[in-house]
Amino acid sequence: MGNITFVEHDGTEHAVEIEPGKSLMDLALDNGIPGIDADCGGECACGTCHVIVEGNGVSITGSASDAELQMLDLTPERADSSRLACQIVISDAMDGMIARLPEFQM
Amino acid sequence: MNIVNLVAKQSAAIVPMPLQVKAAHLLYKTKVKLGVYTEFPEFVEAPVPDVSTLAIEDIDVSNPFLFKQGCWEPYFKRLRDECPVHFQKNSLFGPFWSITRYEDVMFVDKNHELFSSEPFIVIGQAPKELSVEMFIAMDPPKHDVQRQAVQGVVAPQNLKEMEGLIRSRAQEVLDNLPLDKPFNWVDEVSVELTARMLATLLDFPYEERQKLVYWSDLAGGGAQSTGGSNDMDELFKGMGEMAKDFSLLWRKKEAETAAGKKPGFDLISMLQNNDATKNLINTPMEFLGNLALLIVGGNDTTRNSMSGGVLALNKFPDEFAKLKANPSLIPNMVSEIIRWQTPLAHMRRVATQDVEVNGQTIKKGDKVVMWYASANRDERAIDQPDQFIIDRKGARNHLSFGFGVHRCMGNRLAELQLRILWEELLARFDSIEVIGEPEYVQSNFVKGYSKMMVKLTAKQ
């Protein structure tokens, strides 16, 4: 089994064991990662599980859907590899991926 | 385009805005006199019947006295249980669908391509002569452009800078409250604090801040739009004054910037500094609409959550004890207050095509009302929804801010204001006792308080 590392805005790292099939949002919530609000509970409708994926994450997680991009447009901290964690389904291939958290969720 | 509209459009660019509102008012009055428009009837209050005595098709949740008389809960519970997607064909606001369950509201809110926000987001409408345009009532892509121009002002990064200012304003208000003597919490605290915040965000003359409250109440309280008690003449007059004051403020800021002054960090300056909105003043109905939106959006909502929290803790005294023993629960309680109160009861959409929602076929063009107030009490989605539980798990999952592209832009400011208010209240007072029953606003949109007497006891 591999790991995904969440990095808080202040640099604190949390390495979490991969659970294939789960959403990245649920993985963060289940492991008590601070900074993921998940207000809509994974419906791609609030933008409060924003993460910036780095490393191999960019190619493995694929691209955001139109609905997801539209929500990401509402956040001022949007970066090129911004994603909503609720829209990423975890797979074994994501071992070593880094998900950086913004300073604020919108 | 007919000649009247053509002339009106051309004159919009040259005639000063307040005069245009005046002209629109005259046109409206003439059309009423000529019988082109039937005047919208004034609502006369009568006791709301017990919902169990009504046939399902006769239930009309657009009745603006449901909230005022405090009898909305059994109405919406019956719809949620028996007919969650409900059609009322005879209301004074025309036929409309009610969406009452959490899951269905989420579906409608998320799918903006199936459910348009145009032309209005309340159950009724404004007169055509006052059809102001605001981005909350626009669909993408125009909505996105206008929203992006202003959302920075209430973005969390900027709120961080403002926290100290918000706190000192709250302290000023709370330090001057009477002790051991009943006073109206709505006027002295909720209205006053939100007015101070709005004046700050808009860089509006501070000593004239009550005007913002007045305009907000006017814009949100028309009989024809939300079942309120404001009359049309007052609405036109108020919007004329608002047009005048904001035109002046806009021109003043423009002149200051031209003279080399660094633009401030207020909403007007932000609009002037964004390519998409820098000429907003040349489209008066859009100018007025977006300002009204920002004022109403930041006014009724936070105001009524400030009152609602006090009432909730009085109705659930064990929760107040829990709060005093553990003030770190404040942030979670703030979300619970916003859910329990749901200061805006609904948002309206129009179906852009035939669409099935929970077994009912909604036809293209039908009016669809998402009742946030009901969905936030949906037993299917929320455990013990009528209970106020300050350490509720998943308290953030409420619908009061809406979901999707129209999600409340000021949500973080609202949370911040409420958090600071409760931190400062706990530091000062041992008890915050509601005396008697509060009085509620007449509206099917604003779920709020007109009066709530409160007595404070100082902390020992």
Side-chain angles (χ1 to χ4, degrees):
Chain A
M1 292 302 261
N3 285 315
I4 290 175
T5 304
F6 291 92
V7 185
E8 289 183 62
H9 191 256
D10 67 5
T12 311
E13 295 188 4
H14 306 265
V16 173
E17 199 174 296
I18 278 178
E19 294 179 56
K22 208 175 220 186
S23 80
L24 187 64
M25 179 195 85
D26 282 330
L27 187 74
L29 291 179
D30 293 348
N31 287 280
I33 308 298
I36 297 274
D37 290 335
D39 288 2
C40 75
E43 296 275 343
C44 191
C46 72
T48 67
C49 64
H50 176 202
V51 295
I52 297 147
V53 294
E54 286 182 1
N56 62 351
V58 182
S59 52
I60 296 169
T61 57
S63 49
S65 69
D66 287 349
E68 187 181 343
L69 290 172
Q70 208 151 20
M71 291 313 297
L72 286 166
D73 272 344
L74 304 178
T75 173
E77 288 183 78
R78 179 173 180 180
D80 286 344
S81 58
S82 282
R83 293 295 308 272
L84 293 182
C86 68
Q87 299 302 300
I88 295 175
V89 181
I90 292 168
S91 68
D92 283 324
M94 290 177 193
D95 182 25
M97 185 172 98
I98 289 168
R100 206 170 274 286
L101 293 159
E103 185 174 9
F104 300 103
Q105 294 292 350
M106 54 175 269
Chain B
M1 185 182 286
N2 68 33
I3 189 74
V4 176
N5 286 339
L6 187 67
V7 171
K9 198 165 180 195
Q10 286 178 344
S11 70
I14 42 174
V15 180
M17 202 182 310
L19 288 182
Q20 284 180 48
V21 177
K22 223 175 208 170
H25 187 194
L26 277 176
L27 185 60
Y28 173 80
K29 285 206 286 200
T30 311
K31 284 188 181 171
V32 170
K33 268 193 195 140
L34 290 174
V36 179
Y37 293 158
T38 7
E39 208 156 4
F40 196 81
E42 196 182 324
F43 283 96
V44 179
E45 184 158 8
V48 174
D50 183 337
V51 69
S52 64
T53 63
L54 299 175
I56 200 90
E57 64 271 21
D58 293 332
I59 292 179
D60 181 2
V61 285
S62 72
N63 182 336
F65 301 107
L66 279 189
F67 298 121
K68 184 160 190 273
Q69 294 179 17
C71 48
W72 59 281
E73 286 162 302
Y75 268 75
F76 284 109
K77 180 163 174 40
R78 180 142 178 235
L79 291 188
R80 283 196 305 274
D81 289 347
E82 291 178 29
C83 189
V85 177
H86 173 263
F87 192 61
Q88 162 55 250
K89 58 180 184 211
N90 291 322
S91 97
L92 275 169
F93 304 92
F96 70 95
W97 291 92
S98 281
I99 312 292
T100 60
R101 285 190 189 170
Y102 187 102
E103 201 184 329
D104 297 336
V105 168
M106 178 71 90
F107 174 78
V108 174
D109 229 354
K110 266 174 66 173
N111 287 290
H112 60 81
E113 67 295 339
L114 294 177
F115 301 96
S116 168
S117 291
E118 298 177 4
F120 299 106
I121 50 82
V122 291
I123 199 164
Q125 57 181 25
K128 211 165 64 188
E129 287 71 22
L130 206 60
S131 56
V132 295
E133 294 175 38
M134 43 181 80
F135 65 80
I136 195 174
M138 290 174 193
D139 293 325
K142 195 175 178 190
H143 156 270
D144 304 1
V145 173
Q146 294 207 355
R147 173 174 168 139
Q148 277 161 19
V150 292
Q151 67 187 9
V153 79
V154 286
Q157 265 107 339
N158 307 322
L159 297 181
K160 200 167 61 171
E161 314 291 324
M162 288 167 65
E163 179 163 348
L165 182 62
I166 297 174
R167 190 176 298 279
S168 63
R169 300 234 142 120
Q171 289 167 340
E172 283 158 30
V173 169
L174 299 186
D175 284 339
N176 287 309
L177 293 176
L179 290 170
D180 307 312
K181 184 173 111 192
F183 65 93
N184 184 359
W185 179 269
V186 174
D187 285 345
E188 301 299 322
V189 181
S190 308
V191 171
E192 186 52 39
L193 266 179
T194 37
R196 285 176 189 221
M197 205 56 244
L198 266 180
T200 306
L201 284 176
L202 290 157
D203 196 20
F204 191 81
Y206 197 59
E207 62 288 356
E208 292 176 34
R209 60 185 180 273
Q210 285 302 324
K211 282 187 181 176
L212 298 171
V213 176
Y214 174 67
W215 295 329
S216 165
D217 289 349
L218 267 186
Q224 198 175 353
S225 54
T226 58
S229 52
N230 298 332
D231 80 28
M232 209 48 99
D233 290 339
E234 203 185 349
L235 177 66
F236 273 103
K237 207 167 144 245
M239 291 302 105
E241 281 164 19
M242 184 173 134
K244 185 172 137 222
D245 282 24
F246 275 108
S247 302
L248 286 173
L249 188 59
W250 181 282
R251 295 299 181 203
K252 180 175 152 250
K253 290 199 168 287
E254 231 171 30
E256 283 170 356
T257 309
K261 192 178 163 194
K262 203 168 159 260
F265 201 75
D266 56 88
L267 278 163
I268 304 269
S269 298
M270 291 196 89
L271 289 169
Q272 290 177 342
N273 278 302
N274 187 298
D275 277 343
T277 48
K278 67 181 179 195
N279 295 318
L280 196 64
I281 197 160
N282 294 335
T283 45
M285 287 303 162
E286 238 175 83
F287 178 81
L288 267 182
N290 281 326
L291 283 167
L293 168 62
L294 297 168
I295 296 173
V296 177
N299 190 35
D300 275 319
T301 51
T302 317
R303 176 204 297 181
N304 290 315
S305 298
M306 285 177 170
S307 303
V310 170
L311 183 64
L313 286 171
N314 269 259
K315 284 188 184 284
F316 299 88
D318 291 352
E319 298 300 304
F320 196 30
K322 206 192 270 178
L323 175 68
K324 285 203 284 190
N326 186 5
S328 70
L329 290 172
I330 289 176
N332 201 70
M333 177 181 77
V334 163
S335 293
E336 178 69 346
I337 289 173
I338 296 168
R339 178 193 73 87
W340 189 83
Q341 180 58 36
T342 317
L344 295 183
H346 77 253
M347 286 284 157
R348 175 257 272 236
R349 301 289 184 258
V350 174
T352 59
Q353 60 189 76
D354 291 3
V355 53
E356 196 180 301
V357 182
N358 204 342
Q360 300 280 356
T361 303
I362 294 174
K363 292 274 179 207
K364 179 180 176 175
D366 284 357
K367 209 187 265 192
V368 179
V369 179
M370 297 178 282
W371 291 100
Y372 293 147
S374 171
N376 270 338
R377 299 293 180 96
D378 182 2
E379 304 78 358
R380 294 148 198 85
I382 297 164
D383 182 41
Q384 304 178 69
D386 292 328
Q387 299 295 305
F388 177 77
I389 303 170
I390 65 170
D391 49 355
R392 178 183 288 282
K393 199 168 167 278
R396 297 197 60 84
N397 299 144
H398 64 76
L399 281 159
S400 303
F401 292 134
F403 281 120
V405 296
H406 291 284
R407 183 169 165 83
C408 174
M409 183 179 96
N411 60 342
R412 299 296 175 175
L413 174 61
E415 289 172 353
L416 180 63
Q417 284 182 275
L418 289 166
R419 171 168 69 76
I420 289 173
L421 173 67
W422 280 99
E423 285 168 359
E424 297 298 325
L425 284 171
L426 283 189
R428 282 169 179 72
F429 308 114
D430 226 15
S431 85
I432 308 170
E433 187 193 349
V434 175
I435 311 285
E437 282 296 310
E439 289 170 19
Y440 298 94
V441 173
Q442 174 189 326
S443 175
N444 55 34
F445 178 64
V446 173
K447 194 163 155 288
Y449 306 84
S450 49
K451 187 178 173 191
M452 188 169 79
M453 298 306 287
V454 163
K455 194 172 81 175
L456 298 171
T457 311
K459 198 170 173 176
Q460 296 305 313

